[in-house]
Amino acid sequence: EAQVTQNPRYLITVTGKKLTVTCSQNMNHEYMSWYRQDPGLGLRQIYYSMNVEVTDKGDVPEGYKVSRKEKRNFPLILESPSPNQTSLYFCASSSRQTTYNEQFFGPGTRLTVL
Amino acid sequence: LAKTTQPISMDSYEGQEVNITCSHNNIATNDYITWYQQFPSQGPRFIIQGYKTKVTNEVASLFIPADRKSSTLSLPRVSLSDTAVYYCLVRPPGTYKYIFGTGTRLKVLA
């Protein structure tokens, strides 16, 4: 089954404790992206990747890191999480064949930073 | 900087046609405009995309005027299960980052 998976689905952590949210897709998509969703602010792109070893900032990259060492994986790293990073995070992927617009989303990761 | 605007919410009755408009300035001239549907606690789901004029698929139509400064998602004969938040998605010129619209919460009433 074609899908985007994220882990963990729920995470409660404390300020400053490094964490990684994993994202994996099995559709051989070139484009992968991370979004955060907050009430009143909608969905905002954090980082995106056009292909392996190619990443770039979205609209809200501060406090986050990403890497794309393999085509299928695109982990989101919070080196020193802060309470303002409490949010619902979505990973997405898409193919160059659809001009990247048709993005497939994962189920989301709900992060709480205390 | 691309900026998108949508109505915050809309109510409709079952069986009616619903039109949701997204205003978007400064978008890439060579890219599609895309619409998504999102249910609570789920990721957005692709509905339809178009480049210009009108596109129709099995669930919706999309109207895009010649100036491409707006787009209108049309849902024919909505049902209760269409209650969701609808977003447009656009790309600013010169970049491959994407901007979601502010989202429209559609409530379908029986």
Side-chain angles (χ1 to χ4, degrees):
Chain A
E1 179 191 354
Q3 61 183 345
V4 177
T5 57
Q6 296 179 226
N7 282 292
R9 294 289 313 281
Y10 302 90
L11 179 60
I12 300 175
T13 189
V14 296
T15 299
K17 186 176 181 182
K18 180 179 178 180
L19 65 92
T20 299
V21 184
T22 64
C23 172
S24 183
Q25 50 94 5
N26 62 0
M27 296 168 279
N28 200 37
H29 285 169
E30 298 86 5
Y31 189 95
M32 295 188 75
S33 180
W34 277 102
Y35 296 89
R36 61 177 289 174
Q37 185 168 34
D38 302 288
L41 296 175
L43 286 146
R44 295 177 293 168
Q45 192 175 45
I46 303 170
Y47 269 95
Y48 66 93
S49 169
M50 301 288 289
N51 215 322
V52 176
E53 302 291 2
V54 181
T55 63
D56 208 344
K57 297 177 181 178
D59 271 351
V60 287
E62 294 77 20
Y64 304 94
K65 285 176 57 176
V66 292
S67 68
R68 188 92 181 270
K69 293 183 170 51
E70 305 165 281
K71 197 171 185 179
R72 64 183 294 125
N73 297 323
F74 191 46
L76 179 69
I77 303 157
L78 285 72
E79 295 267 2
S80 182
S82 62
N84 65 10
Q85 292 178 298
T86 292
S87 187
L88 178 58
Y89 291 86
F90 289 103
C91 180
S93 72
S94 59
S95 170
R96 182 173 50 201
Q97 293 179 354
T98 57
T99 70
Y100 305 125
N101 294 58
E102 187 176 346
Q103 298 186 24
F104 292 81
F105 282 78
T109 295
R110 190 168 292 280
L111 172 65
T112 301
V113 183
L114 302 174
Chain B
L1 195 64
K3 182 176 168 63
T4 64
T5 305
Q6 299 179 231
I8 293 174
S9 64
M10 300 178 73
D11 288 350
S12 181
Y13 287 97
E14 281 191 294
Q16 290 188 328
E17 178 183 75
V18 171
N19 296 308
I20 304 173
T21 295
C22 175
S23 298
H24 31 73
N25 65 352
N26 197 29
I27 66 171
T29 55
N30 61 343
D31 204 2
Y32 288 94
I33 297 162
T34 314
W35 282 78
Y36 287 80
Q37 176 191 56
Q38 186 181 29
F39 297 113
S41 300
Q42 294 186 22
R45 185 174 68 100
F46 172 89
I47 302 174
I48 193 169
Q49 67 181 5
Y51 183 70
K52 59 182 178 181
T53 63
K54 178 183 175 182
V55 177
T56 298
N57 64 18
E58 61 276 9
V59 297
S61 294
L62 181 60
F63 301 90
I64 301 170
D67 65 8
R68 289 172 39 93
K69 291 188 183 300
S70 67
S71 57
T72 299
L73 174 72
S74 181
L75 304 171
R77 297 180 300 281
V78 293
S79 64
L80 295 175
S81 63
D82 292 318
T83 293
V85 181
Y86 293 83
Y87 294 93
C88 60
L89 179 73
V90 297
R91 178 167 67 85
T95 175
Y96 276 95
K97 72 177 180 182
Y98 280 91
I99 309 292
F100 272 97
T102 50
T104 299
R105 187 174 300 275
L106 172 65
K107 185 173 182 180
V108 180
L109 307 168

